[in-house]
Every structure is written in structure tokens, then in C-alpha cells.
Amino acid sequence: MIRKKVLVTGGAGFVGSHLCEKLLNDGNEVVCLDNYFTGQKQNVVHLLRNPYFELIRHDVTMPFFIEVDEIYNLACPASPIHYQYNAIKTIKTSVMGAINMLGLAKRIKAIILQASTSEVYGDPQVHPQVESYWGHVNPIGERSCYDEGKRAAETLFVNYHKQNNVKIKIIRIFNTYGPRMHPHDGRVVSNFIMQALQNQDITIYGNGQQTRSFQYVDDLLEGMIRMMATRDEFTGPVNIGNPNEFTILELAEKVIRMTGSKSKIISMPLPPDDPAQRQPDISLARKELDWSPKIELEEGLTKTIDYFRKLINP
Ligand code: NAD
Ligand code: UDP
């Protein structure tokens, strides 16, 4: 077996910590880089016993040098409340982080995968979203520090590929949930589960008719690893998400039912530029990666509810 050396930026976050764990389980050596802005050591502390795991506190807006075979670039806050907290820092993380990691990949000839997002489609006017759609993003809105940062990162990736032959892979991740989301992360699945388990009001922003398509984290990991293993000419971008679409109201009702909660649903103001609908077209991932999600919402929610239950009552 060949033990690859893999760098995961943002490796102490929700997705990153699962990715580090899976890469180690698959027999690789993993270096996890994080500045702990939205991630936490707690997410990877169980991996520290593994001699092939290394944890480094580092901010990707600063250059970093290491010899690795593959880089997964995940460093970036993903929840709207966190990425809007310091908008300038968010765009710096996406853009300068991409430049630093692409420069590193160029120098050491590593393959680099970018965790891009369905947010590059903005509030989409094409439904479901296919990779050839250019998107509908407000460049000066509340979400632009994240959306435009991720769009600029994609631009950097394709141009490092064209100009410098860097081996790149771009995936556009759609709403992903699962254990190890931060309890105060602010995203909808963790918010609703935390609220339901504590019999607090479930906060629906707007009328709850906006839609999202929720993917369980294990399906995402499989897609990421398959993407990294594709032939050099296949760079993406490729959508990785679960096409089953739900309204936010449906999600709230499901979580209340599954937790047996006494919570009431309340309506709060809809944040500006909140996308009205979102659903991935995954034909390209099916064709190129032979990938499709396997875990449906109820099954994934059961595992996630279990995790948060234990977190609240250890
Ligand atoms: P997360 O907030 O849990 O993880 C992000 C990690 O990046 C955290 O550990 C954070 O501390 C770290 N980080 C932030 N800024 C950094 C910096 N400047 N230097 C070093 N580390 C930094 O979010 P997540 O859900 O795990 O998302 C991981 C990646 O996947 C992000 O790039 C996100 O944009 C992308 N993504 C996630 C989703 C999703 O639904 N989870 C959807 C689309 C895209
Ligand atoms: N949302 C909600 N209540 C919450 C958190 C989020 O109604 O407590 C809504 C939010 O307005 C959006 C959807 O749920 O329409 C998904 O929000 P999230 O922040 O999880 O992700 P994103 O908007 O980036 O897809």
C-alpha cells in the first residue's frame, strides 16, 4: 500500500475533521492545518494518538511550506453568521488562502482540491443548478464576502492550472450536515436540532418556503476522495450534493417529529439575499466519479440528532 501524505486546511472544522479521519483510516499520513476560527481541537483530539496525524495551528492567509502529495483546501468559515462576522477576513481567507495553497501545490507538484460551494450560484435563476450555470450573485450583498471569495478562488484555481499546469480539482459542495457541526454554528440543521432537543422555539427565517437539498457528511467525503482520484484532465467544477430538496418548514417539522420535541415554530426576519431555492444537478458527478449520495435525510438526521443529544447530556 502506498501511504500518501495529505494536507487538509480547515481540518479541525466540521467537514475537515471527518476528512482527516477518513484519510487516516484509508492508510494515509495527514497534516491538519487550522486557525480554530470556527473549528476546534476537540474535533480532532482523538486522532492525535495516531502517529501518522499531525495538527498545526496556522492561518492560510500566510504562506506555509511542506512536502505533500495532495492538498484539500477547506479553510474558510462556512456558516453565514460566522463568515459575515469579519467579512474582510473571509474574503482574505478564500483568496489569499487559495493563492498560498496553489503556490505550494505548484512548487511541490501536489494535486490540490478546492472546497467550493453551491453559493457560487447565488440566488439561482436556473433550477436545479448545473455546473455550466454562471450564477446570480449580488457582489455587494451580505453574502458576497463568501460567495465572491469562493468564486475568485475558482478563478485562481483554473488559472494556476492553465498557466502553471497545477493539477486542480474543484468541487461545489451543497448544504452538508452531520455530527461535529458546532452547536452554535448557526446553520439550519444544527440550529433546529439544538432548539428541538432543548424544547426551545424553532427559528424559521421568512416563511420557510425556501428550499435546500441536504447531504450527509459521509456522502460528501466519498465524493471528495473520488474527485481527488480522477484523471488529471478532469478538473471540475463538479457539484457534490444530495438532490432531494426540502422546504425549511418541512425540515423543521421533521426535526420536531424525530426528536419528539415540544418546540413551537416561530418566524424570524429572512436575511437579505437568502437564496430561495437550491438543488444540485449531479449528472456530472454520476458520470465522472460514478458517485451519488447514499444517505437520505431521515437516516442522516437520526445520526446527527444522536450526536447532539450526547453533546447536551454527556
Ligand atoms: P467549518 O466552519 O466547520 O470549517 C472550516 C474550518 O476552516 C474551521 O476549522 C476553521 O477554523 C478553519 N479556518 C477558517 N479560516 C481559516 C484560516 N484563515 N486559516 C486556517 N483555517 C481557517 O465549515 P465546514 O462546513 O466544515 O466547511 C468546510 C469547507 O467546505 C469550507 O471551505 C466551506 O466553504 C466548504 N463548504 C461547506 C459546505 C457545508 O454545507 N458544510 C457547503 C459548501 C462548501
Ligand atoms: N435558516 C432558518 N433558521 C435558522 C437557520 C437558517 O430558517 O435558524 C434558513 C436560512 O434562512 C436559509 C436556510 O435555512 O434559508 C439554510 O441556511 P444555512 O445558514 O444553513 O445555509 P445557507 O443559507 O448558506 O444555505
Side-chain angles (χ1 to χ4, degrees):
M1 188 194 64
I2 304 164
R3 194 181 291 283
K4 284 181 294 190
K5 195 163 178 188
V6 186
L7 176 67
V8 179
T9 77
F14 156 52
V15 175
S17 62
H18 287 284
L19 180 64
C20 289
E21 192 171 323
K22 181 163 173 58
L23 290 166
L24 285 169
N25 288 341
D26 290 350
N28 301 294
E29 192 170 336
V30 174
V31 179
C32 166
L33 215 72
D34 210 293
N35 71 347
Y36 308 124
F37 175 49
T38 50
Q40 35 182 353
K41 267 192 193 160
Q42 195 56 40
N43 286 340
V44 286
V45 80
H46 62 293
L47 304 177
L48 288 170
R49 277 174 266 130
N50 188 323
Y52 293 106
F53 182 69
E54 212 174 322
L55 177 61
I56 301 172
R57 181 193 294 262
H58 180 82
D59 190 311
V60 291
T61 59
M62 303 295 195
F64 183 75
F65 300 102
I66 192 169
E67 296 279 332
V68 290
D69 305 301
E70 295 177 349
I71 303 170
Y72 288 86
N73 188 38
L74 273 63
C76 184
S79 166
I81 53 164
H82 294 298
Y83 70 62
Q84 288 166 20
Y85 172 75
N86 184 343
I88 296 169
K89 176 73 192 199
T90 298
I91 196 158
K92 277 188 182 170
T93 294
S94 274
V95 173
M96 293 165 70
I99 292 170
N100 287 328
M101 289 304 136
L102 283 161
L104 176 65
K106 175 183 166 190
R107 181 174 148 163
I108 63 174
K109 298 190 170 32
I111 314 178
I112 179 166
L113 179 145
Q114 168 67 357
S116 191
T117 166
S118 53
E119 282 285 316
V120 300
Y121 302 121
D123 188 4
Q125 293 169 318
V126 166
H127 194 75
Q129 291 79 57
V130 65
E131 289 85 349
S132 54
Y133 175 48
W134 291 354
H136 179 232
V137 174
N138 174 359
I140 54 168
E142 299 289 312
R143 299 173 84 99
S144 59
C145 59
Y146 183 74
D147 299 11
E148 299 290 14
K150 290 282 188 178
R151 287 167 67 97
E154 285 198 10
T155 309
L156 284 161
F157 267 70
V158 292
N159 285 293
Y160 268 78
H161 175 65
K162 279 188 211 154
Q163 269 176 251
N164 296 322
N165 294 317
V166 174
K167 291 178 187 162
I168 63 149
K169 307 282 173 193
I170 301 172
I171 57 166
R172 292 181 177 157
I173 304 170
F174 284 64
N175 296 68
T176 305
Y177 68 97
R180 292 203 205 122
M181 292 187 90
H182 195 282
H184 305 296
D185 176 90
R187 280 177 281 185
V188 70
V189 175
S190 45
N191 267 13
F192 285 3
I193 294 177
M194 284 296 291
Q195 290 162 345
L197 289 175
Q198 298 171 99
N199 295 312
Q200 294 167 353
D201 291 343
I202 304 272
T203 54
I204 287 197
Y205 304 158
N207 61 11
Q209 291 310 306
Q210 70 271 39
T211 69
R212 294 294 186 272
S213 306
F214 299 102
Q215 155 172 255
Y216 189 66
V217 63
D218 289 0
D219 283 329
L220 168 60
L221 299 184
E222 186 60 35
M224 291 177 113
I225 285 169
R226 284 184 187 224
M227 180 61 175
M228 188 58 108
T230 50
R231 64 195 196 298
D232 287 354
E233 311 81 69
F234 185 66
T235 60
V238 59
N239 291 337
I240 302 286
N242 188 321
N244 283 344
E245 187 181 2
F246 297 86
T247 66
I248 295 303
L249 180 61
E250 283 170 336
L251 176 72
E253 287 167 344
K254 210 180 257 298
V255 169
I256 291 175
R257 182 175 50 73
M258 290 178 68
T259 50
S261 173
K262 297 189 187 67
S263 294
K264 302 267 171 302
I265 291 177
I266 60 161
S267 177
M268 310 254 293
L270 185 70
D273 299 336
D274 197 288
Q277 53 181 1
R278 184 180 289 155
Q279 183 192 35
D281 179 319
I282 58 163
S283 318
L284 187 63
R286 283 185 200 278
K287 177 168 166 271
E288 293 289 342
L289 315 182
D290 189 23
W291 172 92
S292 61
K294 302 282 177 267
I295 300 164
E296 290 315 338
L297 188 56
E298 295 237 345
E299 187 187 346
L301 282 179
T302 304
K303 294 174 198 244
T304 314
I305 290 168
D306 258 21
Y307 169 81
F308 281 108
R309 221 189 273 282
K310 288 189 190 116
L311 199 70
I312 294 172
N313 293 312

